[in-house]
């Protein structure tokens, strides 16, 4: 294997590409060749690596020197100074700012940030996502080889159960148990589906996995197919994720060319193929049964359950549906073992979790940290605190369907069981971090409006409940609400959770219930005092009808 003196990485996320990353890459190739360094320097374009303010970025590794924003005219100086003369081109370095993602991992080597413990994103931002050779060099397809050469399907499922991996799509269901349910069925045809319809507002972690390490999903799905007895898989990708779709298409073709997909994989009798299905922008298709309906060419409307997809899924056959992040854990668990995986996170929620950090914080982006970290630690260490010294008020986890987390819960370990005991949900991992200028009523109105628009309309509790809740919350933000409205909101939230057909309606009322649980005084201020404490809502004057009082014992004239 060829050994290089240095690795040069060029950011290739959509923003970097718009700002000329491809031209910078071409100029780097030219200048490296001009100095005769092509046999000493490895040059790659990699996915999103943590900073957008200085894109496109050029990183020289293992020195962990970060340059940006770099234009083609800067490349000659960068190559001459750093790669040829061996000194940092100080004038081209990215502005000082501590970063998340792969940059944080590199910087941690120099003591500037605590290192992330990466499993899911171990290669994203470090390898060329369009090079299957890069993936193989970095332990790619080792787990698949191990599975096919050394393990039975039952062994694979047992290892996954022992690892304690739980679904990262929001529900936290034990992954090994779901695999076992599908494996136990006796149908001649079974399917594996990767749910990449990442339509939860504020969530983009799955996109980074698909764009930055596409072969990890192919490997995981193939292992899953072997374990449950499936010969065919589908990746259902959100329609807006065009780059992710392109890279997954190319990765599938490369895997087929090299014998990691198709017939007689690793010269065994195991056959597996993968298709890509593009979504059309419906939030509801993130629900697994609506997703299955969509693949079948039907409107994306949830099915009544039971039966569940594990026995009656795609085209009525047993189907395993897993989220992107869930699957991305599988190859590492197979390579290193369940005991190794338990060294991360908490006993009941082992492993890591990928979060997107958004809102009024100094650093936004994606971070992978052990399960059980606290919200305060994420805000302080990785988000670098709130902007302008403002005060933390709340965070919402898991996009629109997540819980509202008040300041009193920011030291609760962020794992499935601890959050469950606290009465909140971890969700998919989108952290919307808000300061005291956020109005909780306005926030709940925006979230409920999202559900109102995205509801498929199949069941009354969701369709009517979300509309009615939106009307009430709108009335409260305009100073027209009553205290009785608060009881109605709680009743709507409870009824939607109990009677809605799918997870959309069941969680649509969560924001309403949470703001009344943790911020009732602020909500009541809108009603009693006609004041928005955060100064967000515009109160309209209350118009009273004038009535003529009739003297006692008389009747009004007809």
């Amino acid at each position: 294997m060829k050994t290089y003196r240095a690795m040069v990485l060029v950011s290739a996320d959509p923003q970097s590409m718009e700002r000329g990353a491809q031209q910078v890459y071409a100029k780097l190739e030219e200048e490296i060749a001009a100095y005769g360094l092509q046999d000493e320097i490895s040059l790659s374009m990699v996915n999103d690596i943590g900073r957008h303010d200085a894109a496109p970025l050029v990183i020289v590794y293992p020195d962990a020197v970060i340059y940006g924003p770099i234009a083609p005219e800067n490349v000659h100086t960068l190559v001459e100074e750093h790669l040829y003369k061996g000194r940092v081109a100080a004038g081209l370095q990215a502005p000082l700012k501590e970063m998340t993602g792969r940059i944080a991992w590199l910087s941690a080597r120099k003591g500037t940030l605590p290192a992330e413990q990466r499993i899911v994103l171990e290669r994203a931002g470090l390898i060329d996502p369009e090079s299957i050779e890069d993936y193989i060099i970095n332990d790619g397809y080792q787990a698949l080889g191990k599975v096919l050469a050394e393990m039975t399907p039952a062994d694979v499922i047992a290892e996954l159960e022992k690892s304690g991996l739980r679904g990262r799509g929001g529900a936290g269901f034990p992954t090994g148990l779901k695999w076992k349910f599908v494996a136990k069925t006796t149908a001649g045809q079974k399917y594996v589906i990767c749910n990449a319809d990442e339509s939860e507002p504020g969530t983009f972690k799955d996109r980074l996995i698909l764009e930055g390490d596409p072969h990890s999903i192919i490997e995981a799905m193939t292992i899953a197919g072997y374990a449950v007895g499936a010969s065919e898989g589908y990746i259902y990708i959100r329609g807006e994720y065009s780059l992710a779709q392109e890279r997954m298409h190319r990765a599938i073709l490369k895997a087929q060319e090299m014998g990691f997909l198709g017939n007689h994989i690793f010269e065994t009798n195991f056959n597996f193929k993968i298709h890509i299905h593009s979504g059309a922008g419906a939030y509801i298709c993130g629900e697994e049964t609506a997703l299955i309906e969509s693949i079948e060419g039907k409107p994306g409307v949830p099915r009544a359950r039971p039966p569940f997809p594990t026995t009656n899924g795609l085209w009525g056959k047993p189907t395993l549906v897993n989220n992107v992040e869930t699957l991305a854990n599988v190859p590492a668990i197979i390579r290193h073992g369940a005991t190794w995986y338990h060294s991360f996170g908490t006993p009941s929620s082992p492993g890591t979790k990928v979060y997107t950090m958004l809102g009024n914080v100094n650093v936004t982006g994606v971070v992978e940290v052990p399960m059980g970290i606290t919200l305060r630690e994420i805000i302080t260490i990785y988000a670098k605190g709130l902007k302008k010294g403002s005060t933390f008020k709340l965070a919402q986890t898991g996009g629109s369907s997540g819980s509202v987390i008040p300041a009193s819960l920011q030291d609760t370990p962020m794992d499935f069981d601890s959050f469950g005991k606290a009465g909140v949900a971890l969700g998919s991992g989108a952290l919307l971090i808000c300061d005291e200028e956020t109005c909780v009523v306005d926030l709940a109105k925006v979230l409920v409006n999202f559900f109102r628009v995205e509801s498929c309309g199949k069941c009354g509790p969701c369709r009517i409940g979300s509309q009615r809740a939106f009307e009430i919350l709108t009335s409260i933000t305009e100073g027209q609400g009553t205290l009785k409205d608060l009881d109605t909101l709680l009743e709507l939230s409870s009824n939607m959770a109990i009677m809605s057909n799918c997870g959309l309606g069941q969680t649509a009322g969560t924001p309403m219930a949470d703001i009344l649980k943790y911020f009732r005084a602020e909500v009541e201020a809108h009603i009693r005092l006609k004041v928005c404490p955060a100064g967000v809502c515009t109160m309209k004057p209350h118009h009273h009808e004038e009535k003529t009082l009739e003297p006692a014992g008389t009747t009004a004239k007809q």
Side-chain angles (χ1 to χ4, degrees):
M1 186 183 300
K2 195 168 187 176
T3 302
Y4 292 100
R5 171 168 61 86
M7 179 186 295
V8 177
L9 312 176
V10 182
S11 60
D13 56 276
Q15 190 169 13
S16 295
M17 297 298 279
E18 287 175 8
R19 295 180 181 179
Q22 191 68 55
Q23 290 79 8
V24 170
Y25 180 88
K27 189 64 176 175
L28 277 165
E29 276 190 315
E30 178 185 322
E31 291 291 335
I32 288 171
Y35 278 94
L37 301 174
Q38 61 269 29
D39 292 330
E40 301 177 36
I41 307 295
S42 168
L43 179 63
S44 300
M45 294 195 78
V46 297
N47 200 49
D48 196 321
I49 41 182
R51 278 185 69 164
H52 296 155
D53 62 309
L57 292 168
V58 174
I59 305 162
V60 180
Y61 176 77
D63 300 338
V65 178
I66 307 151
Y67 296 105
I70 295 297
E73 55 266 27
N74 304 136
V75 171
H76 174 79
T77 301
L78 190 157
V79 172
E80 181 179 53
E81 289 294 303
H82 195 141
L83 302 180
Y84 183 68
K85 296 182 179 178
R87 57 195 185 194
V88 174
L92 299 178
Q93 282 184 276
L96 289 176
K97 180 179 177 183
E98 295 184 6
M99 296 165 283
T100 63
R102 176 58 59 180
I103 304 302
W105 183 83
L106 293 173
S107 299
R109 298 169 68 100
K110 296 184 178 297
T112 61
L113 269 180
E116 293 180 50
Q117 294 178 310
R118 291 196 153 203
I119 298 173
V120 172
L121 299 174
E122 63 175 328
R123 302 180 194 86
L126 184 61
I127 67 169
D128 179 353
E130 300 198 13
S131 169
I132 192 171
E133 292 82 7
D134 267 17
Y135 182 72
I136 293 169
I137 289 170
N138 286 275
D139 300 329
Y141 292 110
Q142 284 189 10
L144 178 59
K146 177 180 178 180
V147 160
L148 295 180
E150 304 173 15
M151 303 174 75
T152 66
D155 291 337
V156 176
I157 293 174
E159 192 69 19
L160 208 57
E161 283 191 294
K162 185 180 175 183
S163 75
L165 175 64
R166 297 171 68 169
R168 298 300 197 252
F173 190 82
T175 305
L177 186 59
K178 182 183 279 192
W179 287 31
K180 180 182 282 187
F181 289 156
V182 180
K184 282 185 175 180
T185 61
T186 56
Q189 178 65 56
K190 301 179 187 180
Y191 298 97
V192 173
I193 295 177
C194 171
N195 185 347
D197 188 60
E198 189 177 41
S199 49
E200 198 70 66
T203 308
F204 50 90
K205 60 184 180 63
D206 291 350
R207 176 177 66 81
L208 296 187
I209 298 168
L210 295 170
E211 291 178 358
D213 196 11
H215 285 281
S216 66
I217 301 304
I218 293 173
E219 183 174 16
M221 289 181 68
T222 309
I223 292 170
Y226 173 77
V228 304
S231 60
E232 203 165 344
Y234 285 82
I235 306 176
Y236 190 101
I237 303 182
R238 180 177 176 175
E240 296 88 337
Y241 284 0
S242 56
L243 181 59
Q245 291 191 38
E246 291 169 10
R247 288 185 173 169
M248 286 305 310
H249 271 297
R250 286 194 282 267
I252 288 171
L253 291 175
K254 287 288 186 182
Q256 289 172 342
E257 289 175 10
M258 299 194 71
F260 299 122
L261 272 180
N263 296 325
H264 305 295
I265 300 172
F266 277 93
E267 299 182 352
T268 67
N269 292 325
F270 175 58
N271 307 321
F272 193 75
K273 58 183 177 181
I274 294 177
H275 313 277
I276 291 178
H277 187 99
S278 177
Y283 171 78
I284 190 63
C285 286
E287 196 278 335
E288 61 181 9
T289 61
L291 179 153
I292 289 170
E293 291 282 293
S294 178
I295 293 177
E296 292 180 356
K298 304 171 187 174
V301 176
R303 298 174 178 175
R305 297 185 295 179
F308 294 92
T310 50
T311 56
N312 295 78
L314 189 60
W315 291 297
K317 303 299 182 182
T319 304
L320 174 68
V321 185
N322 279 143
N323 164 267
V324 171
E325 184 185 351
T326 308
L327 287 168
N329 281 278
V330 171
I333 290 172
I334 297 299
R335 286 200 319 270
H336 301 294
T339 303
W340 166 85
Y341 193 70
H342 268 281
S343 67
F344 302 89
T346 66
S348 64
S349 299
T352 60
K353 182 77 187 77
V354 182
Y355 294 102
T356 52
M357 304 181 299
L358 302 167
N360 196 39
V361 290
N362 288 309
V363 175
T364 59
V366 172
V367 63
E368 182 177 354
V369 290
M371 293 286 281
I373 196 172
T374 65
L375 184 58
R376 187 191 299 274
E377 288 174 312
I378 287 181
I379 294 172
T380 304
I381 298 172
Y382 296 100
K384 292 302 162 190
L386 276 77
K387 292 180 180 177
K388 303 175 185 176
S390 53
T391 304
F392 173 75
K393 182 175 183 177
L394 62 92
Q396 200 205 9
T397 61
S400 295
S401 61
S403 296
V404 174
I405 311 297
S408 59
L409 294 179
Q410 63 181 315
D411 292 311
T412 302
M414 295 178 69
D415 62 68
F416 296 110
D417 290 349
S418 298
F419 259 36
K421 289 176 183 176
V424 292
L426 189 60
S428 63
L431 299 178
L432 177 62
I433 301 163
C434 305
D435 64 8
E436 70 279 359
E437 294 184 359
T438 301
C439 171
V440 295
V441 185
D442 181 67
L443 176 63
K445 182 183 76 171
V446 170
L447 296 172
V448 169
N449 184 50
F450 173 81
F451 286 117
R452 178 179 71 98
V453 172
E454 291 292 340
S455 173
C456 74
K458 181 178 181 179
C459 67
C462 174
R463 182 184 68 252
I464 300 170
S466 58
Q467 176 64 34
R468 183 69 185 119
F470 175 73
E471 292 169 355
I472 293 173
L473 289 166
T474 299
S475 178
I476 294 173
T477 61
E478 294 175 350
Q480 308 294 310
T482 67
L483 291 176
K484 187 177 179 181
D485 286 338
L486 306 188
D487 294 332
T488 304
L489 287 176
L490 286 175
E491 185 178 0
L492 284 170
S493 176
S494 176
N495 289 342
M496 290 167 70
I498 295 170
M499 295 188 289
S500 291
N501 190 45
C502 78
L504 187 152
Q506 291 162 9
T507 58
T510 300
M512 302 184 295
D514 284 350
I515 66 167
L516 290 173
K517 181 178 181 180
Y518 300 115
F519 299 96
R520 190 179 184 97
E522 182 177 338
V523 180
E524 289 191 5
H526 287 69
I527 298 170
R528 295 177 184 272
L529 306 176
K530 311 301 179 187
V531 169
C532 174
V536 173
C537 303
T538 302
M539 298 295 175
K540 296 179 180 179
H542 196 86
H543 298 289
H544 297 275
E545 293 183 7
E546 293 186 4
K547 296 182 179 179
T548 302
L549 298 177
E550 298 292 338
T554 65
T555 58
K557 295 180 180 180
Q558 299 298 317

